[in-house]
Structures are given as structure tokens and as C-alpha cells.
Amino acid sequence: MPKRSEEMLMDLWMSLLLVWITCVPCVSMTPIAGQSKSTQSGGSTAVASGLGEGQRLLSRAKRGWVWNQMFVLEEFSGPDPILVGRLHTDLDVRNKSIKYVLAGEGAGTIFAIEPLTGNIHAMKRLDREEKAEYTLTAQVINAETDEPLEPPSEFIIKVQDINDNPPQFIKGPYRASVPEMSAVGTTVTQVTATDADDPVYGNSAKLVYSILEGQPYFSVDPNSATIKIALHGMDREMREEYLVVIQAKDMGGHMGGLSGTTTVTITLTDINDNPPKFSKSLYEFVIPEDLPTGKMGGKVKANDRDIGENAKSTYNILEGDEQGMFEITTDTQTQEGILRLKRPLDYESKKAYTLKVEATNIRSEPISGGPFKDTATVKIVVEDSDEPPVFSKPIYFLEVNENAPIDTVIGAVTARDPDATGSLVRYVIDRHTDLERQFNINVNDGKITLAKPLDRETDMWHNITVTATESRNHSQISRAIVAIRVMDINDNAPEFATEYEAFLCENGKPGQVIQTVSAVDKDDPIQGHYFDYRLVPEMLNNPNFTIKNNQDNSISVLAKHDTFRRQKQEMYFLPIIVTDNGNPPMSSTNTLTIRVCGCSKDGIVQSCNVEAYVLPIGLSMGALIAILACIILLLVIVVLFVTLRRHKNEPLIIKDDEDVRENIIRYDDEGGGEEDTEAFDIATLQNPDGINGYLPRKDIKPDLQFMPRGLLAFRNKCLKRKKKQLKGATFLYSS
């Protein structure tokens, strides 16, 4: 039945619309003709009036036809083109020689004019949302010659809107959030719909909003589309997300209007409205007594239905930890309470602990009412375990004199077994910390003795590690550091701080400070150093120098006169005895070297060499060396020349072009056979230059000094034979 009523109502509306469309052109044409006449007569009257008053003549083009704006409904479609309006001119009085022409926007395509009647038709279906109005130009021309009979005139055809566009939510779908437990009427968000229809004409673009889904939790304002809380006590922990459907309807929400919808996803955000709650009221843990400090002994957890920062909690120990044995911290990832050991446990001292632990929200001022905390009981049972020995001190400080004899007891370390069984403890020095084996320890009582002499000036401190081990369980080991300080004794004599070399000017004055001398001592007495300086006894009456104490562990060496000369004595040695204030005092003799130098008038040292006095004025040492080198070179040349001359005057030297074998000797007796051939060496006779390597002999004449040995033997043998056998022999020599 309702559906039938809607169809009848729709038919009624369509009938009225067709009647209105058909009547509009006829109604609009009636005033156009009258207006045209009124305008023409008015124009004539204006002209006549202006001439009568003597004013300036105003020329005005007479318009022979007039029309108003024309209107056409959008989206109208029918079998025939729709009539928009009709143009008419006064020239059209059953005159068949005139013609109407149309130009401008859509002329010929969208709009067409009948040339003889002036009727304008819409040829296509129009959409106001695409184009709301068209500007065209009408003109009357001669039908035969196409000459204009009147000037062209513009007119507008407006497209009238109909409700053909539904509302649209351009930015949808929407997401919004609101805190849980918000009061009724709290604004959540606002949505906006748009309608493409004409907002000025009719109610086609007038929108009204309503909520289709989301009740009774939310409501929407029909005009502003503001969504608000409609239900009290909306809890996120019960339901976190809601889907709301909003409708926008045009025509002011009346029947027949078009509508559009969008969705709004609303999320309830968390507030701190739930306290933490332990999952158990009693927690029990068993912790071994040898658990290292800082290690975890157990976990507790307080759950919170809130999320994020509202669910974070801190844990505290309220009761049962008077000795401060434990601490509890929060794991930021799991929100668990981590129970850690703060001090070592001792089963023999206390076997169990009962703690009261509290969990509290981090937020100090929750939005809802409290209290936002919870408590639980934690029972801890200490488990006995075999513990390593425990030293009485973690670090021992001992002292020993550097001159202490071997086997001197320096000190002792003590350790005990904390277990109830009380095992014996054995002590050992970790030799990695005593590589030179300077110390020993008694394995039973922990007494540390000296194994090698110590020198404080080499090492002042010795750090060794002592291990204590249970005799029944060698795996239970503990360590302690023993720092041994070597105490100083006065076993080093003071000495000059550096190897001094002083310079004394020849033109210096008596009492002039030559050098300031200080001393150092490797020892380190508690009362500090004090040095006493004095000259050796044999130098007490020294006529040249004296010393003066500067009262700061240093002395000044002074000259007694001004008659120091380099040519007389270039260097002086001043022995000084330095004594410290130790017990017993130690002393040493140090020698100060003093050089006499030539100085300028300002006391600046220029030369400390004696040679400067024997040099000619203006002649440097480099020049003297050059002259000496020249003299030596000349002497060498002379010696070589004399040697060469002596070699030329020697008569027994055989020239290279002579041969001893050319000598012919005739004897009256027989030869000596092989004895004669062994008397000389033919190779020697052929090489007379071999004499160069022989030194002169005193038992041979100077003329025969450089004769080869073979030739000399041959000569001597010939002379002997000459004396004995060859009185009448004849010697023939060939040149």
C-alpha cells in the first residue's frame, strides 16, 4: 500500500511538471510583446522630449524586438526537442522575407532556432551540473540577401535545476577516537556531505543528517553532522571499537529526497581506570646461597587491563627485607617484577625470608577513583651450597723494608670456609702475579715471607694474588689481592743532578758565580732531602775557587781572583763532596769541570781553545790546515823525484831490450855441468824489473842493492872461478 501511494504521488508530480513546462513559453511571450511596444513608444517620447528642451541630441539604436532570459529544465528528455522560447520582432508582420539566425554557445548543436517563427528548441539533454547557463546572440536578416535588418543582441538561456544528485561524503569513510568513560554529549567528530544540485533554487541541496547504525551509543546533529556520545559509562575493556553509519538526505529530509551514507569507525581510547592485580597472592622461590649479587632470584607479575602508559607499574618491597638483601625492578618489556639479590646470602645465618611486595601504577593521579595498587607475599627459601673460602679482607696492604733479609715475615692473610662443615684452607701465591718469585707463603697459616732482596728504587709496590682452596674440594677457590709496599732506607748516596761543565771568563771578576750545582738522591725519606756540600779536604785552601750554600739544596761555585789565563791553564777540576741527611748519612764525591774561555765585554763566551793564542792575527784554523797540507804535498813530490833519480843511475839494471843469453864466455877447462845451470835462473835474467820489491842491504855495495838474487849469485860464482882458473880467459861481449 505505501508503495502504491508513492507511485501515484510520482505520477502527479510528473503531470504538474509537464503542464508547467508547456505553459512557461506561452506565458513568457505575452509580456515580451507588450514590453516591446512600451520600449518603442518610450524611446520616441524620449527623443521628442529631448528636442523640446533644447538639450544635446542623443542617438539611440531602436530595438525592434525584445526578450527576457529563457529557462529550460535539466535532464528533460522526450521524443521531440523541447521548446525553450520564441523570438519576435516588429518587422515580422506577415513578412516572409525575414529570417531569424542564432549564434553563440551551443548554437546549432544544443540549441536550434526556426528561421521563420523564431522558436528556440533544446536539441539535447542538458545537465546543470555540467553547465548552468548559455550565452547566445540573435539577429534578424533578409531571407533572400542575408543582409542584417537589425543589430545582433545577446540573451541567456539558464538551465533550471532538478534534484538529480544525491549527497556525497567526499572524505569518507571516517575514523575517530574518544576517551572511554566520556560523559554523554561529548563530541566525537564531525562529518560533511556535499550535494551538486543548486543550493539557491529549491531544497535540492538542503541536507539533513541522521544515524542509521551506532545507536544507542552515539548520536548525530541533523544540521551540523556532529557525532556525540549518547550512552554513559562506555568501557574500553568491554568493547573498544564501534561502527557508525551516517546518512545525509537532501530536500530537507522530506520524502522524495536523495540520500548518501558513510561509515565512521570510532575507537575508545584507554584511560587509567583499572588497578594492577597480582596473578597470585603468594609467590615462593628457592634461591641458592651462592647466587651472585645482581642476579635474578624470581619474577612476579601484576596484570593491568589498561594499555600503554596506563598499564605500566612499579614494584616495591614493603616488608621483610630489613637487612636490604633484595631489590625488585620492573622489566619494561613484560611489566614483570624482577627480584634480584642485592647482598650475598648466607644459609648458616638465615635460611628463609618473607617479603611483602607492592605493585603501583606509574600514573600518580588516575582519572578514575583508586586505589591503583596491589600487594602480594613472596617467600624465599635459601638453599645451602658448598661455598668457597672467604678472606677476611678483599685487599691486604703490607709493608717491608727494602733491606729486609730473606725469610722475613711480611704479613699474613686469613680465610675461612663459611660452610657448616668448616673445611681446612690452603694458601698459594698465583705465580702469574709474582713472576720473579720474590715472595713465599705458608700453605697452612697464610704467612707471606721474603724470598729475594727488594730494592725500592726499582719497584716501590708489588701486587700479588693469593688463592685460598678448600682442602676437601679443590674446585672451591677464592682470591685476594695483597699489595706490598717497599719502605725506603738510606742506601743511595746523592750525586750531581747532571754532568756539569762550567765556563770561566778570563776577564771575570772575583766573586763571580761560575756555576750553580744541585744534587739528586734516589732515596725518598719521609722528612725530605737535605744535602750538605763541601770541598774535599785537600781543596779547602784552594786559591782559585770557593762554594756558597744557596739554602735550597744547591750551591754556587765562585771565582776567587781574575787572573785566569788559558795559556797558563785551560781547565780546572773541582771535587765536591755531597752528603744527605739519612741515617746513616750517605755521601759521594763529584767533580766539577771548569774551562777557562775568552769572553766578550758582556761576558759572552767566544772561545775556549788555547790554540787561539798561537795563531797569527787574522789567520784562522782552516787557513793553517790548508797551508800544512800544501807543505806535506810538496814534501811528497820531492821524495818521489829523488827516488826516481836514484833508479836511473843504477848500472846493473838490465834493460828490457837486452838478453843475458847473448853473452859468450870461453873457458880453457871443461864446464861444470849441471852445477853451472843451477847457479842462476833464466826467468830471473829475463825479468830485471823484479828488483822493485827488495829493500837495500847493508852487506852489499850500493851499486848492487837492486840486482836480482839469481844474477847476483851468478856474478859471485863467476868471480870465484875467475880467481882460481881463468887468469888468461878471454871475455867477448856482444852489444
Side-chain angles (χ1 to χ4, degrees):
M1 190 67 182
K3 184 176 182 181
R4 178 63 179 169
S5 301
E6 291 181 3
E7 291 179 354
M8 293 176 63
L9 184 61
M10 183 62 68
D11 293 340
L12 179 62
W13 275 100
M14 291 300 296
S15 301
L16 292 175
L17 182 62
L18 290 174
V19 172
W20 180 78
I21 293 172
T22 306
C23 295
V24 166
C26 299
V27 175
S28 62
M29 289 302 297
T30 303
I32 293 176
Q35 187 177 357
S36 176
K37 293 179 181 180
S38 175
T39 305
Q40 292 177 13
S41 61
S44 302
T45 306
V47 173
S49 173
L51 293 175
E53 294 175 0
Q55 295 179 350
R56 183 172 59 88
L57 180 63
L58 299 176
S59 62
R60 179 181 178 186
K62 180 181 178 181
R63 194 169 70 183
W65 48 280
V66 183
W67 60 91
N68 291 331
Q69 292 180 348
M70 296 183 183
F71 298 91
V72 60
L73 282 176
E74 67 169 335
E75 303 293 345
F76 182 82
S77 62
D80 299 323
I82 182 174
L83 179 63
V84 179
R86 181 181 179 185
L87 302 180
H88 183 73
T89 179
D90 294 342
L91 300 178
D92 187 8
V93 183
R94 296 181 181 180
N95 189 356
K96 304 298 183 181
S97 61
I98 66 172
K99 183 173 62 174
Y100 295 93
V101 294
L102 190 65
E105 296 178 338
T109 56
I110 300 176
F111 301 101
I113 189 170
E114 294 180 1
L116 299 179
T117 63
N119 292 333
I120 300 175
H121 295 272
M123 308 300 293
K124 295 182 179 180
R125 184 177 178 177
L126 301 179
D127 188 359
R128 190 200 68 84
E129 286 71 38
E130 292 182 2
K131 191 171 180 63
E133 61 181 32
Y134 297 85
T135 302
L136 296 104
T137 302
Q139 192 174 19
V140 180
I141 62 175
N142 191 305
E144 297 177 356
T145 62
D146 290 337
E147 294 181 357
L149 301 178
E150 289 184 356
S153 296
E154 287 186 354
F155 68 98
I156 297 174
I157 297 178
K158 289 189 175 182
V159 182
Q160 285 187 330
D161 182 52
I162 64 172
N163 189 23
D164 60 340
N165 291 281
Q168 293 182 349
F169 291 90
I170 305 300
K171 298 181 179 180
Y174 296 85
R175 297 193 67 89
S177 61
V178 63
E180 62 174 332
M181 298 296 178
S182 296
V184 175
T186 302
T187 298
V188 179
T189 186
Q190 185 179 21
V191 297
T192 303
T194 58
D195 196 318
D197 293 325
D198 190 355
V200 179
Y201 181 77
N203 294 327
S204 298
K206 184 177 181 181
L207 305 180
V208 174
Y209 299 90
S210 61
I211 183 169
L212 301 182
E213 294 183 19
Q215 296 174 333
Y217 308 105
F218 302 96
S219 64
V220 64
D221 187 278
N223 298 318
S224 63
T226 301
I227 301 174
K228 299 180 180 180
I229 295 290
L231 185 64
H232 176 73
M234 296 178 66
D235 190 0
R236 185 200 66 83
E237 287 72 32
M238 299 297 295
R239 183 177 176 183
E240 184 176 4
E241 193 172 86
Y242 296 84
L243 182 65
V244 179
V245 179
I246 303 296
Q247 175 185 267
K249 190 174 184 180
D250 59 13
M251 299 298 293
H254 295 296
M255 184 177 296
L258 303 178
S259 64
T261 61
T262 187
T263 59
V264 182
T265 303
I266 300 175
T267 303
L268 298 182
T269 58
D270 185 59
I271 64 172
N272 191 20
D273 59 341
N274 292 282
K277 185 70 176 176
F278 281 103
S279 57
K280 297 188 296 184
S281 60
L282 177 62
Y283 293 86
E284 293 182 349
F285 302 108
V286 177
I287 302 177
E289 65 172 332
D290 58 352
L291 182 70
T293 57
K295 294 295 182 179
M296 182 184 67
K299 294 181 181 179
V300 297
K301 178 68 179 293
N303 299 311
D304 196 322
R305 298 178 63 192
D306 296 322
I307 60 174
E309 292 293 326
N310 297 322
K312 292 182 178 180
S313 300
T314 58
Y315 297 87
N316 299 296
I317 299 175
L318 299 181
E319 300 174 2
D321 189 27
E322 291 77 12
Q323 298 177 356
M325 303 294 293
F326 305 94
E327 64 178 354
I328 189 168
T329 58
T330 304
D331 188 331
T332 57
Q333 300 296 327
T334 63
Q335 290 300 307
E336 293 177 315
I338 309 299
L339 188 66
R340 300 182 187 276
L341 198 60
K342 197 174 181 181
R343 295 174 57 188
L345 296 174
D346 187 6
Y347 173 82
E348 289 72 26
S349 300
K350 192 171 184 179
K351 298 177 176 59
Y353 297 86
T354 301
L355 309 178
K356 186 177 182 180
V357 179
E358 180 185 62
T360 307
N361 275 147
I362 291 179
R363 299 236 176 173
S364 58
E365 296 181 1
I367 297 176
S368 302
F372 286 83
K373 59 181 65 177
D374 193 20
T375 59
T377 302
V378 178
K379 287 187 176 181
I380 300 172
V381 177
V382 181
E383 183 181 40
D384 188 21
S385 58
D386 191 5
E387 300 176 85
V390 178
F391 281 95
S392 60
K393 299 178 184 178
I395 300 177
Y396 292 84
F397 293 95
L398 305 178
E399 294 180 351
V400 61
N401 291 329
E402 62 177 325
N403 64 343
I406 296 176
D407 295 331
T408 298
V409 177
I410 302 173
V413 296
T414 57
R416 66 176 182 85
D417 183 9
D419 298 323
T421 56
S423 175
L424 295 178
V425 177
R426 298 176 64 86
Y427 303 93
V428 177
I429 294 177
D430 185 355
R431 291 304 177 183
H432 291 91
T433 61
D434 185 26
L435 297 176
E436 298 182 3
R437 296 182 176 271
Q438 295 177 306
F439 305 96
N440 290 325
I441 190 170
N442 190 297
V443 295
N444 296 318
D445 57 13
K447 290 183 179 180
I448 300 174
T449 57
L450 192 62
K452 291 182 180 180
L454 301 178
D455 186 7
R456 189 202 67 86
E457 287 70 38
T458 303
D459 287 310
M460 184 183 298
W461 284 93
H462 296 269
N463 296 321
I464 62 175
T465 300
V466 176
T467 61
T469 309
E470 289 185 8
S471 59
R472 292 184 301 180
N473 186 359
H474 293 175
S475 63
Q476 297 296 332
I477 302 174
S478 59
R479 291 173 172 81
I481 298 175
V482 179
I484 301 174
R485 180 182 179 184
V486 182
M487 305 302 293
D488 183 48
I489 64 170
N490 193 31
D491 59 344
N492 291 280
E495 57 187 13
F496 280 175
T498 184
E499 188 175 348
Y500 293 102
E501 185 177 10
F503 299 95
L504 173 62
C505 293
E506 291 180 315
N507 56 354
K509 298 179 180 179
Q512 178 183 358
V513 176
I514 302 172
Q515 181 70 47
T516 299
V517 177
S518 61
V520 293
D521 195 331
K522 294 181 180 179
D523 295 322
D524 187 17
I526 299 176
Q527 68 275 13
H529 289 292
Y530 176 77
F531 300 125
D532 177 63
Y533 300 85
R534 66 181 185 276
L535 298 176
V536 296
E538 54 269 21
M539 296 292 292
L540 292 177
N541 297 323
N542 177 24
N544 298 317
F545 307 101
T546 185
I547 60 174
K548 182 184 72 172
N549 194 340
N550 296 329
Q551 303 301 323
D552 58 355
N553 278 344
S554 68
I555 59 170
S556 297
V557 180
L558 310 178
K560 286 187 174 182
H561 58 81
D562 58 354
T563 60
F564 295 97
R565 294 295 180 267
R566 279 179 289 173
Q567 63 272 26
K568 181 179 178 182
Q569 185 172 348
E570 180 186 8
M571 190 177 299
Y572 294 88
F573 299 96
L574 185 63
I576 301 175
I577 299 174
V578 185
T579 307
D580 61 17
N581 59 335
N583 186 20
M586 302 291 290
S587 63
S588 66
T589 301
N590 301 265
T591 302
L592 176 65
T593 303
I594 303 174
R595 297 175 63 90
V596 180
C597 304
C599 304
S600 64
K601 294 181 180 180
D602 299 329
I604 300 175
V605 176
Q606 292 181 336
S607 175
C608 297
N609 298 325
V610 182
E611 296 85 28
Y613 282 94
V614 300
L615 295 179
I617 298 175
L619 196 60
S620 65
M621 180 63 69
L624 285 177
I625 293 174
I627 293 173
L628 183 60
C630 292
I631 294 173
I632 293 173
L633 182 61
L634 290 175
L635 290 175
V636 171
I637 293 173
V638 171
V639 171
L640 290 176
F641 179 76
V642 172
T643 303
L644 291 175
R645 292 291 297 176
R646 289 184 62 184
H647 286 184
K648 288 182 179 180
N649 295 330
E650 289 180 358
L652 296 179
I653 296 177
I654 301 174
K655 296 183 180 180
D656 295 340
D657 54 349
E658 294 180 351
D659 193 348
V660 179
R661 290 174 295 179
E662 295 179 356
N663 298 325
I664 301 174
I665 303 174
R666 181 177 296 174
Y667 299 95
D668 290 340
D669 56 345
E670 295 181 357
E674 292 182 357
E675 294 180 359
D676 295 337
T677 60
E678 293 176 356
F680 60 90
D681 189 358
I682 296 300
T684 304
L685 295 175
Q686 292 177 346
N687 186 17
D689 294 334
I691 64 173
N692 295 334
Y694 291 92
L695 296 174
R697 296 172 56 182
K698 296 181 180 181
D699 58 340
I700 301 175
K701 294 181 179 180
D703 295 341
L704 304 177
Q705 288 288 336
F706 299 98
M707 182 177 291
R709 292 182 180 180
L711 186 59
L712 184 60
F714 173 73
R715 176 181 177 278
N716 293 333
K717 194 171 184 179
C718 290
L719 291 176
K720 289 179 180 180
R721 289 184 178 182
K722 182 179 179 181
K723 291 180 179 180
K724 293 181 179 180
Q725 300 175 359
L726 303 176
K727 276 186 180 180
T730 302
F731 290 86
L732 299 177
Y733 294 93
S734 62
S735 59

